[in-house]
């Protein structure tokens, strides 16, 4: 079978790499892909991003399954477009993708269906938002309603920061948020204390098969300092998700979400990602939903997946959702840990075009997944914010960390930024 993966990041490189390992797969195409995709003989780049053009290309090229990596094509309705032409595609419809694309939608959804989340209120009027913040005090969290590439959230430790974030999101839009229905809106919510974890499932109707757990590192700098980013590194599994918490997440979050979507007339098919905050006494709250796998969490998760991903995704796109109940995923017992190498000036205005040195051949236990890379005059150069994700396996988090950083130390590009402490919470335990 020929498979198409839509996207250009490290997550899509990892998805495509994993799919090529299926004996049923003849070729994996990645649109628009990156330089790492172009280096693998089983992978091929397709230079398209427009939803209709992708659908036409998939039809003409006899693509058996399309897997959507990022949120933007989902929010643009790529699944609706493919399905309307009888093409098999794994991902939520445009309506279902609102779980991620609109914070106001997802907060109201969680409230309606009793899914645990932070107290909140949504505002379009800046004066009312300022008054709410004054009334509740800091710390407090201000979120833009609309896709913002992981950068639309300000965890304000002071009232000044909260007021500035409101003005920024409602008046100037300097973050470049893609507004829903053309209107700027913010969600202001209670600050939650605890440890975060990323919990993803393959979902189809009411059936969910959990993927391995993971933990991301959202802040740019060591010791969780600096601005929020799309994610600077991740490891899997996340020890904070104990077997007991795992069972609670399935029961209190995943199942009610799938039931709620079905009840609301927008049944969910696709990867479903719950960003969790686990409090010091085991309190469980959903910070956000994403309608896709996490980046960089996908890279360590898929390095540990032993089962055939294609078979699982075919079951998850079967006309009978019960097909997915037969899928059981097997995981490498080892830990996997990925370190993101980002460009100069990431996350605000990443510089492009820096030549990347020291890329070696991939090995069994270490993979260098490409994200924003391209080839210019036979040289691989950076092409955006997150450039590479070096991902390694190890018997312990510490060993995975040592392996990953050995490979990181050999790679260089001007302005390269990365954290030295990926995995710190699990190493300390
Ligand atoms: P989100 O995009 O909603 O997941 O937010 C991005 C990041 O901001 C999260 O991964 C958390 O680190 C932080 N964050 C979001 N909401 C809260 C909250 N209510 N309390 C504390 N931190 C939060
Ligand atoms: N790494 C977090 C995300 O993909 O949203």
């Amino acid at each position: 079978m020929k498979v198409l993966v839509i996207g250009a990041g490290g997550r899509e490189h990892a998805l495509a790499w994993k799919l090529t390992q299926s004996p049923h797969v003849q070729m994996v195409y990645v649109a628009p892909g990156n330089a790492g995709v172009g280096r693998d003989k089983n992978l091929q780049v397709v230079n398209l991003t427009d939803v209709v053009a992708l659908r036409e290309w998939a039809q003409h090229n006899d693509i058996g399954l399309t897997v959507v990596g990022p949120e933007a094509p989902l929010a643009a309705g790529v699944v609706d477009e493919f399905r309307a032409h009888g093409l098999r595609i794994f991902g939520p419809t445009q309506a279902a993708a609102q779980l991620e694309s609109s914070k106001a939608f997802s907060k109201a959804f969680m409230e309606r269906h009793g899914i645990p989340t932070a107290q909140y209120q949504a505002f379009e009027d800046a004066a009312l938002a300022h008054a709410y913040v004054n009334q509740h005090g800091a710390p407090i969290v201000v979120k833009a309603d609309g896709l913002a590439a992981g950068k639309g959230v300000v965890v304000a430790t002071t009232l000044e920061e909260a007021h500035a974030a409101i003005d920024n999101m409602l008046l100037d839009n300097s973050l470049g948020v893609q507004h829903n229905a053309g209107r700027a809106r913010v969600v202001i919510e209670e600050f939650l204390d605890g440890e975060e974890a990323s919990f993803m499932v393959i979902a189809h109707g009411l059936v969910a098969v959990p993927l391995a757990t993971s933990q991301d590192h959202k802040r740019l700098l060591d010791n969780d300092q600096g601005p929020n980013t799309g994610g600077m590194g991740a490891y899997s599994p996340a020890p904070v998700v104990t077997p007991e918490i795992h069972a609670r997440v399935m029961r209190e979050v995943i199942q009610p979400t799938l039931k709620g979507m079905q009840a609301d007339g927008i049944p969910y098919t696709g990867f479903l990602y719950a960003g969790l905050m686990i409090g010091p006494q085991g309190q469980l709250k959903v910070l956000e939903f994403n309608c896709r796998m996490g980046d960089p969490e996908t890279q360590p998760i898929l390095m540990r997946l032993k089962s055939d991903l294609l078979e699982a995704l075919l079951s998850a796109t079967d006309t009978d959702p019960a097909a997915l109940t037969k899928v059981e995923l097997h995981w490498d017992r080892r830990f996997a840990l990925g370190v993101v190498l980002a460009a100069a000036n990431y996350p605000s205005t990443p510089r492009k075009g820096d030549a990347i040195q020291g890329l070696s051949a991939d090995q069994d236990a270490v993979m260098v997944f490409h994200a924003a890379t391209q080839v210019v005059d036979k040289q691989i150069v950076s092409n955006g914010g997150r450039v590479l994700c070096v991902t390694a396996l190890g018997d312990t988090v510490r060993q995975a960390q040592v392996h990953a950083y050995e490979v990181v130390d050999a790679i260089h590009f001007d302005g390269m930024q990365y954290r030295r402490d990926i995995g710190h919470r699990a190493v300390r335990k």
Side-chain angles (χ1 to χ4, degrees), residues 95-134:
Q98 286 180 93
L99 263 189
E100 172 169 5
S101 62
S102 168
K103 294 272 185 210
F105 174 92
S106 73
K107 293 298 284 191
F109 174 87
M110 286 190 262
E111 200 168 47
R112 194 160 64 242
H113 295 286
I115 295 156
T117 187
Q119 294 285 339
Y120 81 103
Q121 209 159 311
F123 296 93
E124 286 180 17
D125 181 306
L128 292 178
H130 288 301
Y132 183 87
V133 161
N134 282 333

Side-chain angles (χ1 to χ4, degrees), residues 103 141 143 153 189-192 196 218 228 287-288:
K103 294 272 185 210
V141 183
K143 302 186 174 189
V153 173
E189 65 176 42
E190 115 192 70
F191 172 81
L192 299 172
E196 287 180 57
K218 291 266 164 73
N228 262 328
L287 288 177
E288 63 165 349

